[in-house]
Amino acid sequence: MNKHLIIYSSVDGHTKMICEHILQLINKENEVDIVSLNYAQNKNLSEYDVITIGASVRYGKHSQELFQFIEKNHTALNARQNAFFTVNAVARKNHKNTPTTNPYMKKFLKLSKWQPGILGVFGGKIDYPKYNFFDKRIIQFIMLITQGPTDTSKSYEFTNWKDVEHFSEKISI
């Protein structure tokens, strides 16, 4: 049995939901803790055998807090089995939903000191009814430009849950 830490950086909660699904899939064979990036600051990473970080993208970027956490902890992350996945709406497109084709994963790997051992890319969720006026209009404009859904009365989930299951199998040692 391994001790596994799952850390999520989520704007609207969808990345957390993906992490909770991963928790359910790997919990049978591992002791698993799941925490937000804010609470991960207080964790002793050396207590874990495996660390997975899932992070969402908003307005073309992963959070600055994510990079600060990695900067502070990259030695501990590299000292154990580790994984990273990004959640973004661009991954809804078949030709942009892998670690080698997703622009946000490529950007993350270029900017980060940490080069995770296992990588994943998952489509996110556009939840127009939940957004404030500003976010709704900006995201709608981005979707218009990228030929995505623009009806602001609806939510759109792009996550391929089979891909999440395959990723979970890779990190469940």
Side-chain angles (χ1 to χ4, degrees):
M1 180 178 288
N2 287 303
K3 193 165 181 185
H4 197 129
L5 177 63
I6 300 174
I7 301 169
Y8 61 89
S9 173
S10 188
V11 177
D12 296 314
H14 193 67
T15 302
K16 179 182 179 188
M17 190 168 109
I18 292 170
C19 287
E20 289 170 344
H21 187 67
I22 291 170
L23 168 75
Q24 296 301 314
L25 293 169
I26 68 172
N27 198 29
K28 299 171 188 106
E29 300 157 9
N30 299 282
E31 180 182 337
V32 184
D33 292 333
I34 182 171
V35 296
S36 72
L37 183 61
N38 293 339
Y39 287 108
Q41 308 289 347
N42 303 322
K43 287 285 188 185
N44 180 357
L45 301 184
S46 66
E47 294 178 3
Y48 296 91
D49 303 304
V50 184
I51 299 173
T52 299
I53 300 176
S56 63
V57 171
R58 178 59 71 92
Y59 300 136
K61 298 178 183 178
H62 290 100
S63 75
Q64 192 58 39
E65 293 80 13
L66 173 67
F67 289 104
Q68 291 167 353
F69 179 83
I70 290 168
E71 176 76 27
K72 180 180 171 189
N73 295 288
H74 75 276
T75 302
L77 291 167
N78 287 326
R80 52 210 24 87
Q81 182 177 341
N82 59 68
F84 173 77
F85 67 88
T86 181
V87 178
N88 56 78
V90 170
R92 75 187 185 279
K93 299 180 177 186
N94 287 333
H95 61 285
K96 295 193 178 187
N97 64 354
T98 69
T100 57
T101 61
N102 186 268
Y104 299 116
M105 178 62 84
K106 292 194 292 189
K107 185 177 177 181
F108 170 83
L109 293 171
K110 184 177 178 180
L111 295 175
S112 177
K113 275 189 163 185
W114 177 44
Q115 300 298 298
I118 300 170
L119 300 173
V121 174
F122 307 125
K125 181 177 182 180
I126 303 293
D127 196 358
Y128 286 117
K130 192 173 174 183
Y131 301 148
N132 66 39
F133 178 82
F134 176 77
D135 286 340
K136 189 179 292 191
R137 295 298 168 234
I138 295 294
I139 293 169
Q140 182 185 38
F141 180 68
I142 292 167
M143 287 294 106
L144 180 66
I145 292 171
T146 62
Q147 299 172 341
T150 57
D151 181 347
T152 60
S153 68
K154 297 179 181 177
S155 295
Y156 305 89
E157 184 180 315
F158 306 111
T159 307
N160 181 327
W161 294 100
K162 286 285 186 201
D163 288 348
V164 174
E165 289 175 22
H166 293 306
F167 180 83
S168 299
E169 290 168 5
K170 291 178 187 175
I171 64 172
S172 183
I173 59 170

